Amino acid sequence: MNIKAFRIALSAVTLSMLALTGCGGPGASRDSARPMGAPPPPAEMSMGAKFAADGDMLMEELDAGGGQAGGETVAQQYIAYSHSLGMRLPVAAIEPTLQGHIDACNKAGPAVCMVTNSWMNAYSEDEASASLNLRATPAWIDQFLNGVEAEAEAAKGEITNRQTTAEDLTVSIIDTDARLKAQQTLQARLEQLLADRPGKLGELLETERELARVNGEIDSLTSSLAALRQRVNMSQLSISYETKRNPVSQGALQPLARAFGDFFYNLSSALAAVITAFAVGLPWLILIGVFVWIWLKLIWPRVRRKKS
């Protein structure tokens, strides 16, 4: 072997030894392989921290995907509508109209329409008022509103006001649905963890506590999502009924009749007020009269003589 070949072989052996030493060798420990001054490896997370991290990761995944697989954009909008209607009817037509609307809602069934509140007050023979609140599907409410004007005209009444307001619940529903799916996925992971990895008693108890918390969160989100969807699926309708006054009715002349009926009562009340005022003011009048007499008879003559 010549000198050049020997140098090449020696260099190869040296490089191999250096590489083996840098890797720590097959028997080197993990601490010996870490460079001087390097920070120690991070400690393992507790079970609760792992569960929280898994839940946050699921939320980020679902939020990034818009609550849909593959990050598809949700095109559907969730709008909750509220309608208000005012009717002015003859006093005799208020109660039949109110009862007719309640019967129509009950006939449609609770899945289509439900009455949430109703009341009626009869103040006199010529004056009454009523109110009706209900929730119904948008199709039923549209059909009801299309025929209510003709119903008011048939009862010799009129529509005083109509109002419709819309509230966009798309963001709330999508966000609640995404959180619900994340909690359900975390619930499945926890149940699988309890079934496949018994572990120590402390870890089992912590897993069960986390599973109970997740179950409570799922129940809360499910109720909130159901309430939001009900507001979208069933709109709200508020109807107010007021009396349409007749110019020649007995109620229009009632204030005048009340004034004539209370004439003598009001007259006696006025005389009583005068007598009461006189009785209260009489002592003051006597006192003022005494002072005036003293001034005119005793003080004023002396003052006049001094001036003269």
Side-chain angles (χ1 to χ4, degrees), residues 23 38 43 67 94 103 106 116 132 140 155 158 198 211 238 249-250 254 283 294:
C23 294
I94 290 181
D103 294 340
N106 293 334
T116 58
L132 175 64
W140 190 92
E158 57 185 354
L211 182 59
S238 300
S249 65
Q250 183 180 358
Q254 189 173 2
I294 293 173

Side-chain angles (χ1 to χ4, degrees), residues 173-189:
I173 289 180
I174 292 177
D175 180 69
T176 305
D177 185 60
R179 293 179 181 276
L180 178 60
K181 290 180 179 178
Q183 294 297 325
Q184 289 173 345
T185 304
L186 182 58
Q187 180 190 41
R189 290 184 181 181

Side-chain angles (χ1 to χ4, degrees), residues 234-296:
M234 301 189 73
S235 303
Q236 184 177 0
L237 175 61
S238 300
I239 309 173
S240 61
Y241 310 84
E242 61 180 0
T243 304
K244 182 179 181 181
R245 294 185 177 277
N246 187 358
V248 295
S249 65
Q250 183 180 358
L253 302 176
Q254 189 173 2
L256 186 60
R258 187 183 299 112
F260 278 108
D262 297 339
F263 175 79
F264 291 102
Y265 176 79
N266 294 332
L267 179 61
S268 61
S269 298
L271 291 176
V274 172
I275 294 172
T276 302
F278 179 77
V280 172
L282 182 60
W284 295 99
L285 293 176
I286 295 173
L287 185 60
I288 293 173
V290 171
F291 279 111
V292 171
W293 183 83
I294 293 173
W295 172 264
L296 294 177

